[in-house]
């Protein structure tokens, strides 16, 4: 009996198909994506067995954000660095876990791309077995000379050439865009391959889920508070009611918003009116997620302007983020424009 295997499209086959469609491709992108898939599988293995061997808990170190470094963070950071330092595709990197720009070791070739990444976002949720994720963003080098500089990383998100994330949840998914749509791959553990499961993801024009940490409501701007009040007011949206979902892990909250629609927001916090601050980091959280969301037909702003148009000034600068279905993000912006 002839056994037919379903037409499985691995991420490697997808990447090669994309390369074939790009006449000036040099293969650097392909190598980068291959390594992203490889590093994700290694981190996935560590996340899956974290509960079984003693790698939960913290290393005792504190990262540049002042957050306790979870052991899995450290493993994920090392895994990413070791996956990319030698492939001759990057000129420099930046990571949530490392204060300064990460240079490519002298013994390795330099390439024409930069990589910004959060090796394990949402790690404060690890012990509770909540979905966590890896986020990455790629730009082309723009400064002269071979060595990467901060200016190569500090580019508006509109210039990204690739962005994506890996979510370690009930299944492990890798979602990415290179500016030609958004593709989702699900890891088939028995063969160790990411298989195309979500070709051309599109976010609904409107969704009835809003996602934010209501514990911060008292520190938001008047416009943000009025927007949320309006979402839950009984007669504000005839014929539709909004429901609230908040996981507290960006990749998980974002992934649900991408697939189901609605809005995820982490507004500016005015606890200290003289020093309003965002929480999410621009280079390796807001910018890549905004590239993906716009590619899927959605929108992403800081409440005032598109995230992708903002010129970053610091490797770890933070921002407000309103991201999701075009209808909800636009409405939030209208309240903030009107009420501040
Ligand atoms: P809060 C995780 O630490 C993170 O950076 C994002 O993954 C998440 O969206 C946010 O912080 C959650 O912040 O203040 O609601 O716990």
């Amino acid at each position: 009996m002839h056994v037919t295997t379903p037409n499985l499209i691995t991420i490697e086959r997808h990447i090669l198909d994309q390369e074939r469609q790009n006449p000036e491709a040099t293969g650097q992108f392909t190598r980068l994506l291959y390594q992203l898939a490889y590093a994700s599988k290694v981190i996935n293995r560590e996340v899956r067995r974290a509960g079984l061997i003693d790698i939960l808990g913290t290393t005792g170190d504190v990262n540049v954000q002042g957050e306790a470094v979870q052991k899995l963070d450290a493993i994920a950071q090392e895994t990413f660095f070791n996956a990319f330092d030698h492939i001759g595709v990057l000129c420099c990197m930046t990571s949530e876990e490392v204060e300064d720009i990460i240079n490519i070791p002298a013994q390795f070739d330099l390439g024409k791309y930069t990589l910004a990444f959060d090796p394990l976002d949402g790690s404060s949720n690890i012990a509770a077995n909540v979905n966590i994720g890896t986020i990455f963003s790629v730009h082309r080098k723009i400064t002269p000379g071979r060595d990467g500089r901060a200016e190569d990383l500090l580019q508006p998100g509109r210039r990204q050439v690739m962005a994506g994330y890996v979510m370690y949840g009930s299944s492990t998914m890798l979602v990415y865009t290179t500016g030609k749509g958004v593709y989702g791959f699900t890891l088939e553990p028995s063969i160790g391959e990411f298989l195309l499961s979500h070709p051309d993801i599109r976010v609904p024009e409107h969704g009835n889920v809003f996602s934010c940490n209501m514990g911060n409501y008292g520190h938001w701007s008047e416009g943000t508070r009025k927007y949320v009040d309006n979402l839950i007011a009984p007669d504000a949206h005839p014929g539709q009611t909004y429901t609230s979902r908040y996981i507290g892990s960006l990749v998980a909250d974002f992934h649900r918003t991408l697939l189901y629609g609605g809005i995820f927001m982490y507004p500016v916090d005015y606890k200290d009116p003289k020093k309003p601050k965002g929480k999410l980091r621009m280079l390796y959280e807001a910018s890549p997620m905004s590239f993906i969301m716009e590619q899927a037909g959605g929108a992403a702003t800081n409440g005032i302007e598109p995230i992708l148009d903002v010129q970053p000034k610091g490797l770890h600068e933070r921002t407000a983020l309103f991201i999701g279905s075009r209808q909800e993000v636009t409405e939030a912006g209208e309240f903030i424009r009107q009420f501040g």
Side-chain angles (χ1 to χ4, degrees):
M1 180 183 73
H2 174 65
V3 178
T4 56
T5 52
N7 184 19
L8 304 179
I9 297 183
T10 64
I11 193 167
E12 288 81 6
R13 173 176 165 183
H14 180 83
I15 295 166
L16 287 174
D17 289 349
Q18 299 252 321
E19 182 184 320
R20 279 193 208 99
Q21 292 164 28
N22 185 354
E24 67 267 14
T26 62
Q28 289 217 353
F29 235 40
T30 300
R31 274 205 301 286
L32 191 55
L33 267 165
Y34 271 28
Q35 289 304 91
L36 282 164
Y38 159 74
S40 306
K41 292 175 196 173
V42 173
I43 296 172
N44 175 64
R45 182 194 61 190
E46 298 305 326
V47 167
R48 296 298 166 208
R49 64 183 193 171
L52 302 173
I53 58 176
D54 178 35
I55 56 173
L56 279 179
T58 67
T59 62
D61 300 326
V62 172
N63 68 13
V64 64
Q65 323 295 339
E67 296 160 345
V69 176
Q70 305 273 359
K71 288 181 182 173
L72 268 178
D73 283 290
I75 291 171
Q77 168 61 29
E78 195 179 322
T79 301
F80 244 66
F81 179 76
N82 293 337
F84 295 102
D85 63 345
H86 63 284
I87 62 172
V89 172
L90 301 177
C91 60
C92 62
M93 298 183 243
T94 186
S95 163
E96 188 214 26
E97 296 298 331
V98 180
E99 184 156 7
D100 299 320
I101 187 172
I102 301 172
N103 295 309
I104 301 302
Q107 68 267 34
F108 297 133
D109 290 339
L110 293 166
K112 61 183 182 181
Y113 294 103
T114 69
L115 177 66
F117 61 95
D118 186 349
L120 208 59
D121 183 78
S123 51
S124 55
N125 294 297
I126 291 173
N129 211 9
V130 168
N131 289 14
I132 50 182
T134 298
I135 309 170
F136 54 88
S137 165
V138 179
H139 277 285
R140 268 198 196 83
K141 182 174 179 9
I142 53 172
T143 61
R146 299 178 63 247
D147 293 322
R149 301 181 199 168
E151 296 83 351
D152 296 310
L153 291 157
L154 295 171
Q155 299 186 56
R158 191 87 49 208
R159 291 197 209 133
Q160 287 174 96
V161 291
M162 185 196 309
Y165 60 89
V166 185
M167 184 170 69
Y168 312 101
S170 49
S171 61
T172 296
M173 271 199 75
L174 190 155
V175 176
Y176 86 97
T177 183
T178 58
K180 303 187 183 78
V182 180
Y183 297 88
F185 299 81
T186 301
L187 184 64
E188 167 44 84
S190 64
I191 55 173
E193 283 289 357
F194 277 108
L195 304 179
L196 183 64
S197 53
H198 297 68
D200 199 15
I201 298 175
R202 303 293 294 169
V203 64
E205 182 61 27
H206 146 68
N208 71 340
V209 180
F210 75 96
S211 182
C212 54
N213 182 341
M214 288 300 285
N216 299 327
Y217 179 90
H219 304 309
W220 292 340
S221 71
E222 185 186 2
T224 303
R225 291 200 303 273
K226 282 185 181 300
Y227 170 64
V228 173
D229 294 346
N230 183 56
L231 283 181
I232 54 183
D235 52 358
H237 297 79
Q240 75 181 54
T241 53
Y242 281 87
T243 189
S244 170
R245 292 284 183 276
Y246 190 69
I247 301 166
S249 184
L250 176 61
V251 170
D253 282 317
F254 177 87
H255 189 70
R256 182 204 54 247
T257 307
L258 180 68
L259 296 186
Y260 295 177
I263 185 169
F264 168 84
M265 51 188 158
Y266 208 105
V268 169
D269 180 314
Y270 288 89
K271 195 180 291 182
D272 179 349
K274 294 193 186 67
K275 281 195 280 181
K277 62 182 175 57
K279 168 157 193 181
L280 300 179
R281 278 57 60 116
M282 177 62 84
L283 289 191
Y284 39 78
E285 287 179 325
S287 186
M289 292 317 213
S290 300
F291 184 27
I292 294 165
M293 188 55 80
E294 285 204 8
Q295 279 290 310
T301 74
N302 55 12
I304 310 293
E305 61 183 314
I307 288 284
L308 296 183
D309 294 338
V310 174
Q311 171 58 55
K313 297 181 183 62
L315 294 180
H316 304 292
E317 87 176 33
R318 296 171 185 264
T319 178
L321 180 64
F322 295 76
I323 193 166
S325 296
R326 196 160 287 284
Q327 177 182 318
E328 277 72 27
V329 173
T330 303
E331 192 177 27
E334 283 159 4
F335 274 87
I336 293 172
R337 247 188 308 285
Q338 188 175 352
F339 300 101

